[in-house]
Amino acid sequence: MKPHQPAYVSAGDREQRRAEVRRWRAEFPYHWDVDDLVSRRELLQFAVFASGALFVSTAALAGLGAVKDLSGTESQPIARVSDVPEGTAVYFNYPSSDDQAMLLHLPGGVFVAFGQKCTHLSCSVYFQPEHGRLYCPCHEGVFDPATGEPIAGPPQRRLEQIALQLQGDTLYAVGHTP
Amino acid sequence: MTNSHRVGVPVEAPPLPGQAPVVAAALAIGILLLGIQLWILTVTLDLFLSGRGGQLWLLAAVSGLIFGGGLGVLWVLRRRPRVRHPLA
């Protein structure tokens, strides 16, 4: 048996319904006819504009990379081989006075040099000969002193390696290794 | 189109039957290409920051190709206006 439905609505119910509509209109004062609709063409235009912005950003980075690559770097003396005992490091600035770098004398008589800038958030990386590692104290990033590759912590890229050249008894920095 | 439209007043032309899904698919592909462009930018930034900035022109060329394709689609659409004038 169906429940009884009243054939009439009382004045109180009508007033309550009007109040509910007024409240809904006050909270959402938009009508379908005056709402702004974005057409497919407008969406496409916006997408092409964004595409242009991405292209300009990529081209700017490529241009900066090419300029940096073409400008090259000058050779700079770092230290005499006899002044860097095995298992120690010498800190220097290369290629500019604002770029910190380090020369490592690894066991076996191998010399390597890296930029000190951590590839995570650009903190300074230090050589810890007692642990045989390069260590970034900011976020505990660890790099291999032989290759500069990240082996622990947040860094994902290897350290910038500096090419070395031995002239007589002196080691020179002669650019960056790709 | 109804007869209630006045003569000479431009009205919106609805897409031809079956054309709307094609347009939606083209837009979806365009958005996907936009995502690829964003990925290319992140790869470019990663290579630039790691000091390997000599070969980035290739990535910029691919990004420019996608942008050129988008401009081409806009050019084609400009030749096909969205409104048409109803006949009397």
Side-chain angles (χ1 to χ4, degrees):
Chain A
M1 184 176 173
K2 291 183 179 178
H4 174 68
Q5 296 286 340
Y8 65 95
V9 178
S10 69
D13 290 342
R14 280 200 296 271
E15 184 55 35
Q16 184 181 356
R17 174 167 286 186
R18 285 196 197 101
E20 286 174 357
V21 170
R22 279 198 299 271
R23 183 182 171 194
W24 182 82
R25 281 287 176 209
E27 291 178 352
F28 191 75
Y30 303 102
H31 194 271
W32 179 265
D33 294 337
V34 296
D35 195 12
D36 287 332
L37 293 175
V38 179
S39 69
R40 283 188 294 254
R41 287 178 187 242
E42 287 169 338
L43 177 62
L44 183 66
Q45 282 176 353
F46 176 77
V48 171
F49 178 75
S51 170
L54 289 172
F55 166 60
V56 168
S57 305
T58 308
L61 282 176
L64 284 174
V67 168
K68 194 176 174 184
D69 204 41
L70 289 175
S71 62
T73 48
E74 295 179 357
S75 131
Q76 174 186 317
I78 305 173
R80 295 163 64 91
V81 172
S82 54
D83 293 340
V84 189
E86 190 171 292
T88 62
V90 169
Y91 296 94
F92 61 104
N93 293 321
Y94 183 81
S96 73
S97 58
D98 295 328
D99 300 311
Q100 297 174 317
M102 55 191 163
L103 170 70
L104 313 177
H105 188 175
L106 301 177
V110 178
F111 285 90
V112 287
F114 299 103
Q116 261 191 288
K117 193 185 289 182
C118 179
T119 53
H120 176 222
L121 288 177
S122 301
C123 291
S124 288
V125 175
Y126 296 95
F127 182 45
Q128 291 184 326
E130 66 275 18
H131 298 294
R133 66 182 188 179
L134 296 168
Y135 180 67
C136 177
C138 286
H139 302 96
E140 300 188 340
V142 179
F143 298 87
D144 184 352
T147 62
E149 293 286 346
I151 52 178
Q156 298 293 314
R157 298 190 305 270
R158 69 181 176 89
L159 292 172
E160 198 171 42
Q161 188 164 5
I162 297 169
L164 297 173
Q165 195 172 56
L166 182 62
Q167 296 180 13
D169 187 33
T170 305
L171 280 166
Y172 284 78
V174 291
H176 289 97
T177 304
Chain B
M1 190 175 304
T2 62
N3 291 330
S4 62
H5 288 115
R6 288 181 295 174
V7 176
V9 177
V11 294
E12 289 188 359
L16 297 173
Q19 197 177 19
V22 174
V23 174
L27 262 179
I29 291 171
I31 302 285
L32 188 67
L33 287 174
L34 207 60
I36 290 175
Q37 260 193 314
L38 187 60
W39 175 72
I40 287 174
L41 178 61
T42 58
V43 171
T44 306
L45 187 62
D46 188 56
L47 288 173
F48 175 76
L49 291 177
S50 62
R52 288 170 284 176
Q55 303 295 321
L56 297 182
W57 60 268
L58 189 63
L59 291 169
V62 174
S63 184
L65 205 64
I66 294 173
F67 176 51
L71 284 179
V73 171
L74 275 187
W75 179 72
V76 168
L77 287 179
R78 190 166 292 177
R79 296 182 64 189
R80 298 178 60 188
R82 191 165 185 255
V83 295
R84 68 183 179 201
H85 296 271
L87 299 174

